mmCIF file of all heavy atoms in Angstrom:
data_model
loop_
_atom_site.group_PDB
_atom_site.id
_atom_site.type_symbol
_atom_site.label_atom_id
_atom_site.label_comp_id
_atom_site.label_asym_id
_atom_site.label_seq_id
_atom_site.Cartn_x
_atom_site.Cartn_y
_atom_site.Cartn_z
ATOM 1 N N ASN U 7 22.727 6.355 11.626
ATOM 2 C CA ASN U 7 21.672 7.366 11.650
ATOM 3 C C ASN U 7 22.262 8.706 11.175
ATOM 4 O O ASN U 7 23.220 9.212 11.768
ATOM 5 C CB ASN U 7 21.127 7.481 13.083
ATOM 6 C CG ASN U 7 20.027 8.515 13.186
ATOM 7 O OD1 ASN U 7 20.165 9.628 12.697
ATOM 8 N ND2 ASN U 7 18.931 8.159 13.832
ATOM 9 N N GLU U 70 12.877 5.756 11.038
ATOM 10 C CA GLU U 70 12.350 5.921 12.407
ATOM 11 C C GLU U 70 11.171 6.866 12.341
ATOM 12 O O GLU U 70 11.240 7.905 11.668
ATOM 13 C CB GLU U 70 13.402 6.569 13.302
ATOM 14 C CG GLU U 70 14.422 5.621 13.823
ATOM 15 C CD GLU U 70 15.380 6.370 14.740
ATOM 16 O OE1 GLU U 70 14.975 7.353 15.389
ATOM 17 O OE2 GLU U 70 16.535 5.962 14.790
ATOM 18 N N VAL U 92 8.999 4.808 17.223
ATOM 19 C CA VAL U 92 9.588 5.416 18.417
ATOM 20 C C VAL U 92 8.578 6.379 19.046
ATOM 21 O O VAL U 92 7.711 6.901 18.346
ATOM 22 C CB VAL U 92 10.891 6.190 18.059
ATOM 23 C CG1 VAL U 92 11.913 5.284 17.396
ATOM 24 C CG2 VAL U 92 10.608 7.386 17.157
ATOM 25 N N THR U 101 15.255 10.982 21.353
ATOM 26 C CA THR U 101 14.229 10.058 21.807
ATOM 27 C C THR U 101 14.538 9.561 23.219
ATOM 28 O O THR U 101 15.445 8.769 23.422
ATOM 29 C CB THR U 101 14.132 8.863 20.825
ATOM 30 O OG1 THR U 101 14.155 9.387 19.503
ATOM 31 C CG2 THR U 101 12.875 8.073 21.050
ATOM 32 N N PHE U 131 10.979 0.319 19.121
ATOM 33 C CA PHE U 131 12.069 0.825 19.967
ATOM 34 C C PHE U 131 11.578 0.827 21.417
ATOM 35 O O PHE U 131 10.740 1.659 21.787
ATOM 36 C CB PHE U 131 12.395 2.242 19.508
ATOM 37 C CG PHE U 131 13.603 2.861 20.140
ATOM 38 C CD1 PHE U 131 14.794 2.164 20.294
ATOM 39 C CD2 PHE U 131 13.578 4.187 20.556
ATOM 40 C CE1 PHE U 131 15.919 2.758 20.844
ATOM 41 C CE2 PHE U 131 14.695 4.798 21.112
ATOM 42 C CZ PHE U 131 15.863 4.074 21.247
ATOM 43 N N GLU U 151 14.049 -2.991 18.931
ATOM 44 C CA GLU U 151 15.335 -2.308 19.139
ATOM 45 C C GLU U 151 15.387 -1.909 20.601
ATOM 46 O O GLU U 151 14.512 -1.159 21.071
ATOM 47 C CB GLU U 151 15.463 -1.082 18.231
ATOM 48 C CG GLU U 151 16.793 -0.354 18.473
ATOM 49 C CD GLU U 151 17.044 0.798 17.499
ATOM 50 O OE1 GLU U 151 16.468 0.803 16.398
ATOM 51 O OE2 GLU U 151 17.822 1.692 17.882
ATOM 52 N N HIS U 191 21.074 3.950 20.737
ATOM 53 C CA HIS U 191 20.900 5.207 21.450
ATOM 54 C C HIS U 191 22.047 5.435 22.427
ATOM 55 O O HIS U 191 22.234 4.655 23.356
ATOM 56 C CB HIS U 191 19.570 5.323 22.205
ATOM 57 C CG HIS U 191 19.156 6.761 22.345
ATOM 58 N ND1 HIS U 191 19.694 7.588 23.285
ATOM 59 C CD2 HIS U 191 18.332 7.521 21.600
ATOM 60 C CE1 HIS U 191 19.193 8.801 23.125
ATOM 61 N NE2 HIS U 191 18.366 8.784 22.113
ATOM 62 N N GLY U 192 22.805 6.483 22.156
ATOM 63 C CA GLY U 192 23.900 6.859 23.048
ATOM 64 C C GLY U 192 25.130 5.969 22.939
ATOM 65 O O GLY U 192 26.054 6.090 23.744
ATOM 66 N N ASN U 211 22.255 0.570 15.913
ATOM 67 C CA ASN U 211 21.942 1.797 15.188
ATOM 68 C C ASN U 211 22.570 2.973 15.922
ATOM 69 O O ASN U 211 22.242 3.238 17.079
ATOM 70 C CB ASN U 211 20.427 1.966 15.065
ATOM 71 C CG ASN U 211 19.841 0.915 14.145
ATOM 72 O OD1 ASN U 211 20.432 0.609 13.105
ATOM 73 N ND2 ASN U 211 18.729 0.335 14.517
ATOM 74 N N ILE U 212 23.496 3.635 15.243
ATOM 75 C CA ILE U 212 24.304 4.668 15.904
ATOM 76 C C ILE U 212 24.348 5.923 15.037
ATOM 77 O O ILE U 212 24.554 5.850 13.825
ATOM 78 C CB ILE U 212 25.746 4.148 16.147
ATOM 79 C CG1 ILE U 212 25.699 2.814 16.909
ATOM 80 C CG2 ILE U 212 26.574 5.184 16.899
ATOM 81 C CD1 ILE U 212 27.057 2.197 17.193
ATOM 82 N N GLY U 213 24.152 7.084 15.673
ATOM 83 C CA GLY U 213 24.164 8.326 14.921
ATOM 84 C C GLY U 213 25.097 9.373 15.487
ATOM 85 O O GLY U 213 26.148 9.669 14.930
ATOM 86 N N TYR U 214 24.718 9.907 16.628
ATOM 87 C CA TYR U 214 25.364 11.104 17.180
ATOM 88 C C TYR U 214 26.891 10.982 17.298
ATOM 89 O O TYR U 214 27.631 11.870 16.877
ATOM 90 C CB TYR U 214 24.750 11.409 18.552
ATOM 91 C CG TYR U 214 25.136 12.752 19.092
ATOM 92 C CD1 TYR U 214 24.530 13.903 18.617
ATOM 93 C CD2 TYR U 214 26.114 12.869 20.067
ATOM 94 C CE1 TYR U 214 24.896 15.147 19.096
ATOM 95 C CE2 TYR U 214 26.489 14.100 20.557
ATOM 96 C CZ TYR U 214 25.880 15.239 20.080
ATOM 97 O OH TYR U 214 26.248 16.463 20.550
HETATM 98 N N1 LIG E 301 17.907 4.141 17.506
HETATM 99 C C1 LIG E 301 16.801 4.893 17.671
HETATM 100 C C2 LIG E 301 15.479 4.217 17.635
HETATM 101 C C3 LIG E 301 16.890 6.287 17.849
HETATM 102 O O1 LIG E 301 15.769 7.022 18.030
HETATM 103 C C4 LIG E 301 18.163 6.888 17.817
HETATM 104 C C5 LIG E 301 18.269 8.382 17.942
HETATM 105 O O2 LIG E 301 17.676 8.993 16.835
HETATM 106 C C6 LIG E 301 19.287 6.072 17.616
HETATM 107 C C7 LIG E 301 19.127 4.698 17.490
HETATM 108 C C8 LIG E 301 20.661 6.627 17.528
HETATM 109 O O3 LIG E 301 21.014 7.241 18.734
HETATM 110 P P1 LIG E 301 22.345 8.108 18.804
HETATM 111 O O4 LIG E 301 22.174 9.248 17.864
HETATM 112 O O5 LIG E 301 22.419 8.505 20.228
HETATM 113 O O6 LIG E 301 23.458 7.202 18.367
#
Side-chain angles (χ1 to χ4, degrees):
N7 180 312
E70 279 182 30
V92 302
T101 315
F131 188 45
E151 179 174 337
H191 207 281
N211 291 319
I212 306 179
Y214 191 78

